[in-house]
Amino acid sequence: MTEILRMTKLKIEGFSDEQWVPIVKGVDVRLDKGEVLGLIGESGAGKSTIGLASMAYTRMGCRITGDSIVFDGMELFGADEEFLRKIRGTRIAYVAQSAAGSFNPAHRLIKQYAEAPVQHGIMNFDEAEKKAVDIYRRLLLPDPERIGYRYPHQVSGGQLQRAMVAMAMACTPDIIIFDEPTTALDVTTQIEVLAAIKKITREFNTAALYITHDLAVVAQIADRIMVLRYGELVEENNAREIIASPKEEYTRALLSVRTLTEHKDLSESEKDIILDVRDVSASYSGKQTDLVLEDINLKIRRGRTVALVGESGSGKSTLARVITGLLPPLKGEVIYEGKALPPALKNRTREMLRLAQMIYQMPDTALNPRHKVRMVIGRPLAFYFGMRGQERDNRVYELLEQIELPRKYIDRYPNELSGGEKQRVCIARSLAAKPDLIICDEPTSALDQLVAEGILKLLQELQNELRVSYLFITHDLATVKAISDEMVVMLKGRIVEQGVKKDVLAPPHHEYTELLLSSVPEMDPDWLDNVLEERKRKGIKMQEFVQS
Amino acid sequence: MAFLKLLRQSPLSARIGLAMILINVFAAIFTPWIAPYTETEVVGDVWLEMSRDHLLGTDHLGRDMFTRLIYGARNTIAIAFITTILSFLVGIICGFFAATLGGWTDQFLSRFIDILMAFPTLIFALMVLSVVGTSIAALIVVIALLDSTRVYRLSRAVAMDIEVMEYVEAARLRGEGIWWIMRREILPNAMPPLVAEFGLRFCFVFLFIAALSFLGLGIQPPTADWGGMVRENAGAITFGILTPLFPAGAIAFLTVGVNLIVDWFLHIASGLKD
Amino acid sequence: MSGLRGLVIRRILMGLVTMFVISLLIFVGVEALPGDLATAILGQEATPETVAAFRKELKLDLPPHVRYIAWLGDFMKGDLGTSLANKRPVAELISWRFANTIFLAASAAVLAVPLSILLGILAALYRNSLFDKTISMVTLSTISFPEFFVAYILIALLSVQLIIFPSISNINDQMSFAQKIYSIVLPCLTLTLVVMAHMMRQTRAAIINILASPFIEMARLKGIKRMRVIVLHAFPNALSPVINVVAINLAYLIVGVVIVEVVFVYPGLGQLLVDSVSKRDIPVVQASGLIFAAVYVSLNLLADVASILTNPRMRNPK
């Protein structure tokens, strides 16, 4: 195969703390015509920066320092802007993570689509439009003749992302850079966009750099995969081999995630119910007509983990707000150990509040940046148990030990901790109240894969030790499979299916559960093709459940 | 200590700004020791040139300009400072209450303040002062109240941003009272924008009082005050005598200094975020 | 479209309510005067007869709400009452001066608006260049200067030293347009300098904010020419914030004009207001205050309506 792009000893620096620090430390990247190369790594791996560098472009405060970027025989490193401008958009195109931000709100989609081909003098507007309709159709966008005449904010997220893929394809480039194009999407939408990307790159035989943190996603698309960490290459191989037999420890770690399963005795199912949500309906406006939750019934037993699964807008976080009293329900009640809790937070006693604690998605915003760890963990101790001084410090030390952080962390501020450490402190804060129930609202989705793994393991150990129950809210089915005992699937404010995990996961499923389960990428390069094949056979329309 | 370290890394503009402020503060504190004469003492002829005896010459009544300028520093800065503090107390307390309580309290306060803010401050102050008279106490209270509308807006907005943070929700769920939430959760995090705003508001109030005094409606003679001194000596300019530029320049000197520091502070604060 | 129109109508109604409350405040403010207004104005030595006559003249003998409605009704009809100081109708006093004020403010605006938008955009485009840093330093200082400082520097330079322009800006109806312009050069320049500093900084900030959006990066990565990126992608989105900046600064100009008028002894509404405040000529103060407020409120209203109308997301609702 012929080579289209070669970056040799690519070095990129970023400006921080008044000095230039290396971000990418001499990585070699080679891309052949029509080949899809996956760049994978956790945050800080430098993968997006490498992607942009293939167009000899850097963001504000970054610079490329070497050694060479050769595209189709032309050296781009150090080339003048006008030369680069003629290549960008025509021969190398870019697809960003956030379609909503990357489309200009002032112009119609078709105008933005046609801009590159018309401005570069490749075709006139009518020709561009004709081609746009063809590409929109190939990408399965609804109403391809007219969707281009909408404004960006008038189409759904998944459609907009596909419209951006179409825009990148406008000049039939040699290479497209996909920068986490599905990360911001729900799983059922992600699979559509993935399918669209795979289809279009194959049909036009376009080479691509596919950047993501999700190995299962990249396995579907890429021919070859490069694993990156801290701006350096860890391992490079073709996709099938890297998944079948990873050579490096780090790659193995990335592959082996979400395998912690443990089998508890789930037979005594009616005993020990600590929380019982009965017939709850709720809305933010207070009106019956726009219910966010409808007739929710849910039981949580001591020492168990109930996973609440659903996509954005399904009402799962709202349910947490009802349970904690932040949003009093319109109808129904929340019963704790046989006694109904007052619906509003302000009417609950301190003791009632102590029993249910929260862990949040973003550890950055869940910790007051002006409070030291001593204060964060110590406050619930003082507040609920009246602990003071040395007694309180000792208990804080015990808790730090439980979450596996060193004692000296007691005097640290949150910004002196890593993301995973912050989340551990959040866990300690909730444990300090000695709760019966911890509501975990997507506690791992903002964390890097391996860090998330550690948090899940910790949560499980704590459960075994303390018999605390979890209500685990998540959109990530891999996490559910790893940690839950029972599962509740939500769609548009209703529960569509619930029960013991292995029953829910085993067929027959409710249609939506089926769609949801089958949309989760697996570490199998043939997974996407198989699922699409299967869906075609069964005649399932992708858009059926997802509002546009 | 941390401050000293920051200062060592500070850009030149910030150091100049700090020096400018310190000179003013020094003059305001040690007034009687620095000033060669007393505040209202007539020491010579009208509008004398600069000389060894009279560093900046004399004013329209033959008082020493340098002395008046030093006393003016004390009076003008002190009044502006007290006014700004009062304005912040009122503005922050109302703003935080509106943000944490929400609902009707917020609606009522915010609508009321929207209307007050739709009224040009200078015109409002002129009208109110024409009614209540121009005592220093009236001046401070009127300007502080008018200015607190701006502080209210900002502190409410800042508090609202912090209010939606999960650590505040966590405190609510723990059962903390509104006082704890305002004081321990919101206030420490609202400090950086509020401190910057304090600098800006101080400049505004300072210029505002100067403007009022210049119009003859602020601090009344014979009290030395920079705005008023510009007014008293305005006639000199047409004779080519630069006397009115000294107090006017002194006002500019202090506000430039404060603005330089605020600029630097905003730069640091924005850097801390990421 | 109904959503958009609804928004605009609501904003206009809000403006009307604001004006109503302001008129009420102005009225009540005078009511709240400590002690008896008549004695306060006439002084302690006034005989009871003069006080009584004065009270009648001000209609102080009627209940407040009746007086308020009468006052507002007269105001709407153009009858602004009679000045206490020289017994002439306030409307007559004000109309000529108001026209002068608008003349001065408008000339300053004509100069300041295009210039500051242009410089603001340039500063944003060449961010961190020497040009940008100079502008930022100069505007920061200008913002910190009181208006009269700028005014007296200009007088000292252009009027006293170089003797080019008059330091007193007296205009009357006999003057030709050119003569009028000549006599207001200095106040106009003062206002321009002061307003420009604000307008330029805010324009710069608004443009930089837009330039940081991901869709600008996208346009650049599509290989679009720099000029086109700015005109076609940045400009339509910057329109709304920039219009807002302009209107807010025009409102600021209207207020800043008061001090400048006093410095240059310009026969405008601001000068009249300040004089009347020191003379405690309440009817004149009320009338000119209300006019200033009306202009200020309308400009702010205009700013909001314009930024609603130029916001692409609002113009093309779902």
Side-chain angles (χ1 to χ4, degrees):
Chain A
M1 277 226 238
T2 34
E3 186 177 286
I4 185 77
L5 176 79
R6 178 185 282 276
M7 299 195 265
T8 319
K9 295 221 170 56
L10 182 69
K11 297 186 199 76
I12 302 170
E13 298 180 341
F15 197 73
S16 78
D17 285 335
E18 311 288 313
Q19 58 180 357
W20 289 99
V21 290
I23 300 174
V24 176
K25 304 159 190 165
V27 175
D28 291 324
V29 181
R30 193 196 83 239
L31 186 63
D32 286 335
K33 273 190 181 146
E35 185 194 29
V36 179
L37 171 64
L39 294 182
I40 179 156
E42 298 178 305
S43 54
K47 50 196 193 304
S48 289
T49 319
I50 294 178
L52 287 170
S54 62
M55 309 171 83
Y57 179 91
T58 53
R59 296 232 160 92
M60 209 45 158
C62 293
R63 63 175 188 195
I64 303 174
T65 51
D67 276 350
S68 97
I69 303 164
V70 176
F71 167 72
D72 200 16
M74 298 173 284
E75 176 60 68
L76 300 188
F77 175 56
D80 73 278
E81 270 303 303
E82 188 55 21
F83 178 77
L84 292 173
R85 188 183 68 73
K86 287 184 181 144
I87 288 177
R88 290 177 187 155
T90 56
R91 305 205 55 196
I92 310 180
Y94 179 72
V95 174
Q97 174 173 354
S98 155
S102 300
F103 272 105
N104 188 333
H107 301 301
R108 297 175 195 277
L109 296 176
I110 190 73
K111 190 172 176 191
Q112 302 189 51
Y113 169 91
E115 194 174 17
V118 173
Q119 288 304 311
H120 288 290
I122 293 171
M123 44 185 111
N124 65 28
F125 184 83
D126 289 340
E127 290 163 354
E129 186 184 359
K130 214 170 280 164
K131 187 172 173 201
V133 171
D134 175 50
I135 296 180
Y136 288 158
R137 186 171 290 124
R138 287 166 191 257
L139 293 176
L140 302 176
L141 280 164
D143 200 4
E145 276 86 12
R146 273 173 304 180
I147 194 167
Y149 286 88
R150 298 213 201 154
Y151 284 92
H153 58 276
Q154 293 169 329
V155 305
S156 75
Q159 291 169 2
L160 202 57
Q161 199 71 38
R162 278 179 284 163
M164 187 156 57
V165 174
M167 186 160 80
M169 207 37 108
C171 300
T172 329
D174 301 84
I175 304 175
I176 299 184
I177 317 294
F178 292 98
D179 193 353
E180 305 251 12
T182 63
T183 306
L185 305 172
D186 277 327
V187 272
T188 52
T189 322
Q190 165 172 285
I191 187 170
E192 294 169 33
V193 177
L194 269 182
I197 290 174
K198 186 159 189 176
K199 181 165 185 271
I200 205 90
T201 47
R202 271 189 197 163
E203 283 173 6
F204 287 89
N205 194 30
T206 314
L209 280 183
Y210 195 100
I211 297 158
T212 178
H213 65 280
D214 191 336
L215 199 47
V217 165
V218 82
Q220 309 312 316
I221 299 267
D223 303 309
R224 200 152 47 85
I225 291 174
M226 287 174 76
V227 181
L228 297 161
R229 192 182 200 189
Y230 308 134
E232 282 170 298
L233 179 70
V234 175
E235 185 172 2
E236 177 178 0
N237 211 334
N238 78 51
R240 280 175 195 281
E241 276 193 34
I242 224 165
I243 295 207
S245 53
K247 299 208 170 49
E248 295 297 319
E249 186 58 42
Y250 181 66
T251 316
R252 259 198 293 277
L254 286 182
L255 271 167
S256 72
V257 293
R258 309 282 187 278
T259 44
L260 43 127
T261 35
E262 195 182 330
H263 296 283
K264 284 186 205 158
D265 176 20
L266 302 173
S267 53
E268 30 150 22
S269 59
E270 281 315 307
K271 260 171 64 189
D272 259 358
I273 293 176
I274 58 163
L275 194 83
D276 188 355
V277 176
R278 271 191 210 157
D279 304 322
V280 159
S281 295
S283 84
Y284 284 102
S285 61
K287 286 191 210 117
Q288 283 288 347
T289 45
D290 43 22
L291 290 179
V292 191
L293 290 178
E294 219 175 328
D295 297 319
I296 300 293
N297 282 287
L298 182 72
K299 289 181 176 58
I300 299 172
R301 295 174 184 86
R302 188 174 302 282
R304 297 277 180 82
T305 302
V306 177
L308 194 53
V309 195
E311 296 183 289
S312 49
S314 61
K316 53 195 196 302
S317 292
T318 308
L319 183 54
R321 296 178 71 81
V322 170
I323 294 173
T324 52
L326 284 170
L327 180 72
L330 286 182
K331 182 168 88 64
E333 38 185 14
V334 178
I335 296 164
Y336 176 78
E337 288 195 331
K339 272 180 286 191
L341 292 173
L345 177 65
K346 62 174 192 286
N347 300 329
R348 296 190 182 175
T349 63
R350 208 173 266 208
E351 185 59 16
M352 292 172 182
L353 295 174
R354 184 183 68 77
L355 298 166
Q357 295 289 316
M358 285 277 310
I359 301 171
Y360 296 92
Q361 176 174 3
M362 307 293 260
D364 291 315
T365 55
L367 293 176
N368 189 332
R370 303 277 159 169
H371 289 178
K372 286 183 179 173
V373 170
R374 183 193 308 273
M375 172 75 140
V376 173
I377 304 178
R379 178 61 189 170
L381 297 174
F383 188 79
Y384 293 124
F385 308 111
M387 287 187 193
R388 296 269 175 276
Q390 197 54 50
E391 182 198 11
R392 191 175 71 162
D393 277 2
N394 288 338
R395 177 74 184 124
V396 173
Y397 286 133
E398 270 174 49
L399 285 161
L400 277 175
E401 210 161 291
Q402 266 179 330
I403 57 167
E404 295 154 15
L405 288 183
R407 288 168 72 107
K408 63 175 187 224
Y409 274 40
I410 195 165
D411 280 317
R412 292 210 178 173
Y413 282 104
N415 65 2
E416 297 167 303
L417 306 176
S418 71
E421 288 168 346
K422 281 181 211 170
Q423 196 60 290
R424 284 171 190 260
V425 172
C426 289
I427 294 173
R429 172 172 67 189
S430 51
L431 290 179
K434 295 199 172 161
D436 288 340
L437 171 69
I438 298 180
I439 301 173
C440 311
D441 192 354
E442 307 260 12
T444 55
S445 53
L447 302 173
D448 276 328
Q449 230 161 321
L450 297 181
V451 179
E453 193 67 13
I455 295 288
L456 291 181
K457 217 171 263 167
L458 175 69
L459 283 172
Q460 214 155 51
E461 284 161 16
L462 290 169
Q463 185 167 57
N464 295 340
E465 191 181 322
L466 307 167
R467 293 255 302 152
V468 58
S469 311
Y470 298 134
L471 177 62
F472 203 97
I473 299 170
T474 182
H475 68 279
D476 179 9
L477 280 151
T479 309
V480 175
K481 287 180 187 167
I483 197 170
S484 71
D485 302 314
E486 289 165 51
M487 233 178 115
V488 177
V489 182
M490 283 186 76
L491 172 69
K492 291 179 200 164
R494 288 165 174 276
I495 291 176
V496 294
E497 198 165 0
Q498 70 189 113
V500 176
K501 176 171 68 178
K502 69 174 193 303
D503 296 343
V504 177
L505 288 179
H509 302 297
H510 178 275
E511 296 177 280
Y512 177 69
T513 316
E514 166 82 38
L515 181 76
L516 200 61
L517 289 174
S518 67
S519 296
V520 180
E522 285 165 22
M523 292 284 181
D524 165 13
D526 296 321
W527 167 82
L528 182 64
D529 294 333
N530 293 341
V531 172
L532 294 176
E533 187 64 27
E534 170 102 356
R535 285 190 186 178
K536 211 179 207 172
R537 197 163 47 75
K538 287 190 187 162
I540 298 177
K541 287 248 168 52
M542 294 189 183
Q543 286 286 329
E544 216 160 87
F545 296 94
V546 188
Q547 292 159 307
S548 57
Chain B
M1 282 306 106
F3 178 73
L4 279 180
K5 198 177 147 221
L6 264 180
L7 200 62
R8 214 171 299 133
Q9 299 165 343
S10 66
L12 183 66
S13 65
R15 294 181 196 194
I16 295 176
L18 192 66
M20 288 161 102
I21 295 173
L22 285 180
I23 291 173
N24 274 290
V25 171
F26 185 76
I29 293 174
F30 299 104
T31 313
W33 292 278
I34 308 169
Y37 305 95
T38 60
E39 192 174 358
T40 52
E41 179 180 1
V42 175
V43 295
D45 217 344
V46 174
W47 288 331
L48 285 176
E49 302 235 332
M50 298 187 214
S51 64
R52 288 272 297 277
D53 287 340
H54 307 293
L55 286 176
L56 297 175
T58 57
D59 73 354
H60 69 301
L61 295 177
R63 294 170 295 193
D64 182 59
M65 199 62 197
F66 182 65
T67 306
R68 298 277 293 167
L69 217 51
I70 303 279
Y71 274 95
R74 172 177 273 192
N75 297 333
T76 319
I77 294 173
I79 290 175
F81 196 68
I82 293 169
T83 309
T84 316
I85 298 236
L86 191 61
S87 144
F88 264 70
L89 279 180
V90 176
I92 290 180
I93 290 176
C94 292
F96 279 13
F97 261 112
T100 33
L101 290 177
W104 282 107
T105 324
D106 181 30
Q107 279 296 320
F108 176 78
L109 273 173
S110 295
R111 290 296 82 75
F112 178 69
I113 285 193
D114 277 350
I115 288 174
L116 275 189
M117 283 182 74
F119 203 89
T121 325
L122 183 66
I123 310 291
F124 205 159
L126 284 178
M127 302 190 65
V128 175
L129 291 173
S130 82
V131 172
V132 299
T134 48
S135 67
I136 286 182
L139 199 66
I140 290 177
V141 171
V142 169
I143 298 176
L145 287 183
L146 285 179
D147 201 54
S148 65
T149 57
R150 269 77 182 166
V151 181
Y152 168 86
R153 266 274 175 95
L154 179 82
S155 43
R156 176 176 172 275
V158 171
M160 291 284 240
D161 283 353
I162 298 171
E163 154 84 345
V164 297
M165 292 288 170
E166 276 134 4
Y167 57 81
V168 178
E169 188 181 306
R172 271 182 208 283
L173 288 178
R174 192 158 62 226
E176 301 283 4
I178 182 163
W179 187 238
W180 167 279
I181 289 174
M182 271 179 17
R183 206 165 48 92
R184 303 305 289 267
E185 306 286 347
I186 294 179
L187 187 64
N189 292 291
M191 274 326 263
L194 287 178
V195 168
E197 184 70 4
F198 188 85
L200 293 176
R201 290 330 303 173
F202 174 79
C203 283
F204 180 83
V205 165
F206 186 71
L207 287 173
F208 195 77
I209 293 178
L212 282 176
S213 301
F214 172 74
L215 296 174
L217 301 163
I219 303 164
Q220 298 296 317
T223 308
D225 145 73
W226 291 343
M229 286 158 68
V230 178
R231 170 195 172 79
E232 294 161 357
N233 294 289
I237 198 93
T238 44
F239 304 119
I241 302 167
L242 298 182
T243 317
L245 287 186
F246 297 137
I251 295 167
F253 187 75
L254 177 60
T255 43
V256 169
V258 176
N259 269 322
L260 285 175
I261 292 289
V262 170
D263 234 35
W264 173 52
F265 185 83
L266 284 176
H267 183 76
I268 301 176
S270 71
L272 281 182
K273 253 181 233 160
D274 42 49
Chain C
M1 281 313 274
S2 74
L4 191 63
R5 196 175 306 157
L7 265 176
V8 172
I9 291 174
R10 261 183 48 196
R11 184 61 190 82
I12 292 175
L13 280 179
M14 184 71 200
L16 287 176
V17 170
T18 310
M19 270 322 292
F20 171 74
V21 176
I22 286 177
S23 73
L24 208 64
L25 276 177
I26 289 181
F27 185 80
V28 173
V30 177
E31 286 288 303
L33 195 125
D36 185 72
L37 178 66
T39 3
I41 292 169
L42 295 176
Q44 292 299 331
E45 302 86 41
T47 61
E49 290 78 48
T50 36
V51 171
F54 189 75
R55 286 179 64 89
K56 194 152 193 137
E57 191 191 322
L58 280 184
K59 299 188 185 119
L60 286 180
D61 43 350
L62 299 173
H65 64 276
V66 177
R67 273 185 291 133
Y68 173 71
I69 292 167
W71 176 69
L72 201 64
D74 287 348
F75 204 97
M76 295 292 184
K77 279 182 278 174
D79 175 8
L80 312 186
T82 316
S83 157
L84 300 178
N86 53 17
K87 308 289 174 213
R88 285 169 56 196
V90 175
E92 195 182 293
L93 273 173
I94 282 183
S95 55
W96 179 65
R97 287 161 178 274
F98 183 52
N100 286 345
T101 293
I102 294 291
F103 177 60
L104 176 58
S107 334
V110 167
L111 205 59
V113 172
L115 210 58
S116 35
I117 291 183
L118 185 73
L119 290 177
I121 292 177
L122 285 179
L125 291 185
Y126 300 100
R127 188 158 31 140
N128 295 332
S129 66
L130 188 66
F131 168 75
D132 179 35
K133 282 183 178 151
T134 317
I135 283 214
S136 140
M137 226 28 233
V138 170
T139 50
L140 186 76
S141 327
T142 320
I143 285 174
S144 319
F145 291 173
E147 285 98 337
F148 49 78
F149 186 51
V150 178
Y152 284 124
I153 288 179
L154 288 179
I155 291 180
L157 276 177
L158 298 178
S159 177
V160 178
Q161 292 286 316
L162 299 174
I163 326 184
I164 308 176
F165 298 110
S167 68
I168 287 184
S169 308
N170 215 342
I171 65 171
N172 57 54
D173 293 338
Q174 276 76 50
M175 293 167 116
S176 72
F177 184 71
Q179 283 173 315
K180 282 189 184 173
I181 291 285
Y182 174 72
S183 65
I184 64 159
V185 165
L186 286 188
C188 179
L189 213 55
T190 311
L191 273 176
T192 306
L193 283 176
V194 173
V195 167
M196 257 179 70
H198 282 273
M199 225 188 293
M200 237 155 64
R201 281 175 85 86
Q202 290 165 0
T203 308
R204 178 180 178 272
I207 300 282
I208 285 180
N209 195 16
I210 299 283
L211 287 181
S213 328
F215 63 79
I216 296 291
E217 175 172 81
M218 194 62 189
R220 295 197 57 199
L221 289 175
K222 282 198 288 184
I224 307 302
K225 290 200 179 99
R226 188 177 162 85
M227 210 50 219
R228 189 182 160 89
V229 171
I230 288 158
V231 173
L232 216 87
H233 290 279
F235 188 70
N237 292 288
L239 210 55
S240 163
V242 169
I243 287 179
N244 211 349
V245 167
V246 170
I248 285 169
N249 281 284
L250 291 183
Y252 174 82
L253 192 85
I254 280 295
V255 179
V257 88
V258 174
I259 289 165
V260 174
E261 282 181 7
V262 171
V263 172
F264 292 95
V265 205
Y266 181 80
L269 194 57
Q271 167 92 286
L272 179 70
L273 174 64
V274 173
D275 280 352
S276 309
V277 166
S278 28
K279 285 188 209 144
R280 294 203 147 186
D281 192 343
I282 303 293
V284 180
V285 172
Q286 280 180 332
S288 35
L290 202 54
I291 289 176
F292 268 120
V295 175
Y296 189 84
V297 170
S298 335
L299 282 170
N300 277 318
L301 181 67
L302 211 65
D304 286 359
V305 172
S307 59
I308 292 173
L309 291 181
T310 48
N311 185 325
R313 266 177 248 251
M314 293 208 184
R315 220 175 23 193
N316 310 293
K318 287 209 171 187

